[in-house]
């Protein structure tokens, strides 16, 4: 294939595959916890890390990882202790992250908002070898956590009180989930972009749930959808010269719509099969009249 003749596309495709695996892998737990927009909040905070990376002449990916992890931990602490003022604190954290990113990147030598655009919406040509190395290491961490601790994370995501009663370290697992989500955001920002990564974490999971309710099956189908749309979006972006992040997200939404349409007749078919399997009621002539039964009970 012609596309594989270019080193930058080889790097972009590798990054796309890793993003397609990691985003739904952590997204399934966020959906279960009803924190579907957590990735979006972390993406706002990560902008400060990108700006600091340019300002300090350090890798924006690694700096964004550090800042995102700190932001995710702070978000969890606010969720635990924030009570009624927690939403205001989160709003300040998110918008402060955006403002910090813009400010730091403009203070950096030769920096401008144009440098930030590729991190906000993704860019194929700017994925460097150092970015690929960082993405591979971070993706390995995400897969290790989401697959190796899937039973514990699922239990906490479903019912924190029950998980606590069974002896699981609920707060530690919640923190680990938040940190893993933060790492996933930085993995995906070079391909999808910080402002669109949340869609890739949530929509493939929602699409997979149209077909199945089993956790294992949902996990597998969501990852398959993630890999398919990231590869498809990356290839489409190369040939049609369109933004990769927007293309990937639109393909993901299209997959959700297609599976929703497909799931409707399947659900009706399952309902009919279930109804047919139910035992039928006794024929009318076999039923004992209510008045007769009452008379028998009193010895009439």
């Amino acid at each position: 294939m012609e596309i594989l003749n270019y080193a930058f596309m080889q790097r972009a495709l590798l990054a796309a595959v890793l993003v397609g695996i990691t985003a739904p892998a952590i997204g399934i737990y966020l959906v279960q916890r009803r924190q579907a927009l957590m990735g979006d909040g972390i993406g706002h905070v990560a902008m400060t890390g990108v700006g600091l990376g340019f300002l300090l002449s350090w890798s924006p990916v690694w700096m964004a990882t550090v800042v995102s992890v700190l932001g995710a931990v702070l978000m969890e602490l606010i969720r635990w202790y924030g009570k009624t003022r927690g939403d205001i604190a989160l709003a300040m954290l998110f918008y402060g992250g955006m403002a910090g990113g813009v400010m730091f990147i403009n203070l950096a030598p030769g920096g401008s908002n144009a440098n930030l655009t590729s991190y906000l919406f993704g860019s194929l040509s700017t994925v460097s070898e150092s970015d690929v190395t960082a993405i591979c290491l971070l993706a390995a961490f995400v897969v290790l956590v989401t697959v190796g601790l899937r039973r514990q994370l699922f239990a906490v995501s479903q019912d924190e009180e029950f998980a606590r009663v069974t002896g699981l370290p609920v707060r530690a697992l919640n923190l680990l989930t938040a940190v893993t989500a933060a790492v996933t955001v930085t993995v995906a920002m070079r391909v999808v972009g910080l402002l669109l990564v949340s869609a890739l974490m949530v929509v493939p999971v929602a699409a997979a749930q149209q077909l199945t309710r089993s956790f294992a099956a949902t996990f597998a189908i969501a990852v398959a959808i993630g890999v398919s749309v990231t590869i498809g979006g990356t290839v489409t972006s190369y040939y049609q010269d369109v933004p990769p992040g927007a293309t990937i997200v639109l393909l993901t939404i299209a997959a959700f719509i297609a599976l929703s349409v497909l799931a409707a007749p399947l659900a009706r078919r399952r309902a009919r099969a279930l109804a047919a399997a139910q035992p039928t009621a006794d024929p009318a002539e076999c039923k004992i009249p209510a008045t007769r039964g009452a008379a028998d009970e009193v010895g009439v």
Side-chain angles (χ1 to χ4, degrees):
M1 293 178 63
E2 174 196 351
I3 193 172
L4 296 178
N5 293 333
Y6 301 99
F8 79 95
M9 283 306 302
Q10 295 173 9
R11 295 192 294 269
L13 285 170
L14 176 58
V17 171
L18 294 176
V19 170
I21 294 172
T22 55
I26 187 61
I28 190 170
Y29 301 107
L30 299 182
V31 171
Q32 293 292 331
R33 289 156 56 99
R34 293 177 175 83
Q35 293 180 330
L37 295 179
M38 184 177 185
D40 188 53
I42 295 174
H44 286 66
V45 176
M47 291 174 61
T48 292
V50 173
L52 279 174
F54 279 98
L55 180 63
L56 303 177
S57 299
W58 204 45
S59 169
V61 174
W62 286 113
M63 183 61 77
T65 302
V66 173
V67 174
S68 297
V69 168
L70 293 175
V73 171
L74 185 56
M75 288 169 62
E76 276 299 301
L77 294 177
I78 291 173
R79 190 171 72 90
W80 294 343
Y81 305 113
K83 301 186 185 300
T84 57
R85 309 290 291 182
D87 56 339
I88 299 176
L90 287 175
M92 289 191 294
L93 178 64
F94 297 163
Y95 298 131
M98 292 180 64
V102 175
M103 180 62 69
F104 288 137
I105 203 165
N106 278 277
L107 292 175
S112 67
N113 290 339
N115 300 114
L116 195 58
T117 302
S118 64
Y119 291 90
L120 293 178
F121 303 104
S123 176
L124 298 180
S125 60
T126 57
V127 180
S128 64
E129 292 185 4
S130 61
D131 289 337
V132 171
T133 301
I135 290 171
C136 288
L137 293 174
L138 296 172
F141 169 78
V142 174
V143 172
L144 184 64
V145 171
T146 55
V147 176
L149 296 176
R150 61 189 181 279
R151 291 184 177 86
Q152 294 89 333
L153 294 178
F154 177 76
V156 173
S157 300
Q158 285 292 102
D159 191 334
E160 286 191 6
E161 292 302 322
F162 177 77
R164 188 174 287 109
V165 170
T166 59
L168 289 176
V170 173
R171 288 196 170 180
L173 289 170
N174 281 336
L175 275 177
L176 183 61
T177 301
V179 169
T180 307
V183 171
T184 304
V185 168
T186 56
V187 168
M189 70 179 182
R190 299 302 278 142
V191 176
V192 185
L194 292 173
L195 297 184
L196 298 174
V197 62
S198 185
L200 196 58
M201 299 169 76
V202 174
V203 180
V205 177
Q209 288 177 337
Q210 302 303 307
L211 300 179
T212 179
R213 291 295 182 267
S214 163
F215 175 79
T218 301
F219 188 99
I221 294 174
V223 169
I225 293 172
V227 172
S228 300
V229 297
T230 50
I231 293 178
T234 301
V235 173
T236 303
S237 177
Y238 170 77
Y239 284 110
Q240 301 298 324
D241 193 24
V242 290
T247 306
I248 290 170
V249 171
L250 290 175
L251 287 177
T252 309
I253 295 174
F256 173 81
I257 295 173
L259 291 180
S260 298
V261 172
L262 178 64
L266 291 177
R268 290 194 294 268
R269 186 178 304 173
R270 280 197 290 264
R272 287 195 297 266
L274 183 61
Q278 296 293 331
T280 56
D282 293 332
E285 60 271 15
C286 297
K287 294 181 179 179
I288 301 175
T291 57
R292 179 63 179 169
D296 288 342
E297 289 177 0
V298 295
V300 177

